DNA sequence: TTCTAGTTTATAATAATTCTAAAAAAAGTA
DNA sequence: TACTTTTTTTAGAATTATTATAAACTAGAA
């Protein structure tokens, strides 16, 4: 279903040239329908394992940021030393386990509608995200 | 109101020795009742300006983290290159302007009650925070 | 005052991220 | 296709935030 042809289309549609490296990264990110969260370092390790050729770290950074800009990836707001990205680009929220550093999706439906009764002059809301930190019971 | 004697008490109460440096940092953080958000670098600049003596960056890091652990400061979850801290330790939420990098408080009362209808096995919720990203209208 | 554990400091180390400039690849053109 | 132009990749350097180290210093107790 998500094969090379689709990746090329996906890239073309968003004005990105379908280079060999970008297609490889697409394979890792989008091949299976299950979405996941990752840091750049984790992604780089997965790529190193799954793909025969190596892709430079700079390219991984560049590509991930390009995908983010195009809306193919989301960046998750957590205050840690590294950035977390998400292949689930739908609007949703997160659990974060500070112990295991694990992120878990919290779907939009699992949260009652959020109503913000304040606004900032001259500004409009671009996103509203909940981060639920969890700890061991 | 918030004078040296109080800082010493505050520090003592939380098992921290009232050293010269920590009291100076307290002055910057807690002297005026108005709370604010800061990065370590901003804090370090404020200290350099307001206080005659210089305090090493390591001490600032250590002290801020000690205060955080003791609950005198909160760390805000935003994915940027630096950590944001908050002298407002009450439960509240934030607006974040990605352009100006400015954080603004969103009080608990400004947000309708958040109801999470999902839980993770063996985990309990330790905090629920909303980050509202804003952009120019 | 003396002793000791806790603290500060300068500095080095680490680690995430970005920058750079040259080489390689892709696209465009004829 | 063959040539030109544009974009991308790459290795490595640079930058920046943060943490670790280890020696000098200090607060507080005895
Ligand atoms: Mn931290
Ligand atoms: Mn980033
Ligand atoms: Zn997610
Ligand atoms: Zn705040």
């Amino acid at each position: 279903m998500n094969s090379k042809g689709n990746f090329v289309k996906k890239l073309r549609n968003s004005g990105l040239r379908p280079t060999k490296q970008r297609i490889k990264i697409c394979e890792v990110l989008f091949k299976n329908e299950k979405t996941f969260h990752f840091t750049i370092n984790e992604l780089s390790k997965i790529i190193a394992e799954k793909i025969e050729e190596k892709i430079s770290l700079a390219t991984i950074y560049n590509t991930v940021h390009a995908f983010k800009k195009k809306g193919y990836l989301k960046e998750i707001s957590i205050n840690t030393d590294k950035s977390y990205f998400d292949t689930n680009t739908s609007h949703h929220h997160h659990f974060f386990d500070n112990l295991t550093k694990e992120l878990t999706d919290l779907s939009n439906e699992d949260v009652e509608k959020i109503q913000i009764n304040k606004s900032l002059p001259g500004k409009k809301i671009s996103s509203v995200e909940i981060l639920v930190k969890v700890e061991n019971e």
Side-chain angles (χ1 to χ4, degrees), chain A residues 35-37 74 76 85-90 92-94 103-106:
Chain A
T35 63
F36 65 103
H37 306 106
K74 276 179 69 172
I76 310 299
F85 292 89
D86 197 339
T87 64
N88 178 355
T89 57
S90 74
H92 67 287
H93 310 282
H94 292 95
L103 271 174
T104 311
D105 278 355
L106 181 56

Side-chain angles (χ1 to χ4, degrees), chain A residues 33-77:
Chain A
E33 63 266 34
K34 208 167 162 47
T35 63
F36 65 103
H37 306 106
F38 63 91
T39 63
I40 295 282
N41 250 300
E42 287 164 2
L43 177 59
S44 141
K45 266 181 208 149
I46 297 170
I47 289 170
E49 285 166 10
K50 298 218 171 166
I51 310 290
E52 61 284 356
E53 305 155 70
K54 102 178 256 296
I55 299 179
S56 88
L57 200 55
T59 297
I60 297 175
Y61 270 99
N62 291 339
T63 305
V64 164
H65 283 136
F67 282 163
K68 183 194 161 189
K69 198 194 253 171
K70 292 299 177 182
Y72 282 159
L73 291 175
K74 276 179 69 172
E75 194 171 3
I76 310 299
S77 287

